[in-house]
Amino acid sequence: MTNVVHYTQLDSPVGQLLLTADESGSLTSLSVPGQKGGRTVQPDWRRAPDLFRDAQEQLAAYFAGELKEFQLELKASGTAFRSQVWDALDSVPYGATTTYGEIAARIGASRAAVRAVGGAIGANPLLIVRPCHRVIGADGSLTGYAGGLERKLQLLRLEGR
């Protein structure tokens, strides 16, 4: 039996969000329009807005500046290395930024692994709720963001950066 993908779409200040979840209701992706590697609705997916009520409420509170930490069940699929990087992203606090090198150090990866860390961050399927927008270049520059640099800047401004 194939796993059913449930989805909903929500309006937000950064464009329409596409959320997907598995049968248990764990969030498996959050995509924005035009996102590099983002998901698009497939014919066999099931629209299930009720499954996403918590996510909808928490995202609304986040965009209103009232929520600083998401409390959602996340289930992203990726390699062990990517999962390690994504877990490290979860520990970057609201309103703070970190660098690719700092994430590499946090997971015990070498300086040479910074590119691989960047690739894992770029492949994050859970934009916004898993805060890859808080990762910047070592020189403080706004380096790549799968959702686009304008959105990255918008999210950082929302968080007071």
Side-chain angles (χ1 to χ4, degrees):
M1 187 182 147
T2 60
N3 290 335
V4 176
V5 175
H6 300 278
Y7 80 95
T8 196
Q9 293 169 305
L10 307 172
D11 290 326
S12 85
V14 295
Q16 190 173 65
L17 307 179
L18 171 62
L19 287 73
T20 63
D22 64 13
E23 273 122 0
S24 74
S26 294
L27 204 57
T28 55
S29 73
L30 190 159
S31 302
V32 296
Q35 174 185 332
K36 181 181 163 203
R39 300 186 84 177
T40 54
V41 177
Q42 301 301 307
D44 61 332
W45 288 8
R46 286 197 196 136
R47 194 168 179 285
D50 291 346
L51 198 58
F52 298 91
R53 203 154 316 289
D54 283 350
Q56 183 174 359
E57 288 170 6
Q58 289 184 40
L59 284 160
Y62 170 79
F63 286 117
E66 299 161 0
L67 181 85
K68 298 194 178 353
E69 195 174 315
F70 291 97
Q71 299 294 323
L72 297 168
E73 197 61 45
L74 307 179
K75 192 188 275 177
S77 58
T79 64
F81 178 78
R82 284 185 173 179
S83 295
Q84 211 178 0
V85 171
W86 297 339
D87 288 345
L89 287 177
D90 290 339
S91 67
V92 181
Y94 181 95
T97 56
T98 190
T99 65
Y100 295 91
E102 288 167 352
I103 293 286
R106 217 175 267 192
I107 66 166
S110 68
R111 290 288 304 155
V114 170
R115 278 187 104 78
V117 167
I121 291 170
N124 171 24
L126 289 156
L127 295 193
I128 305 168
V129 296
R130 178 157 278 152
C132 55
H133 59 276
R134 297 179 188 153
V135 183
I136 60 174
D139 62 359
S141 63
L142 290 187
T143 53
Y145 182 61
L149 288 182
E150 190 52 46
R151 275 195 193 97
K152 181 173 189 160
L153 188 59
Q154 208 175 340
L155 292 168
L156 290 172
R157 283 188 179 137
L158 171 76
E159 295 184 8
R161 293 294 297 180

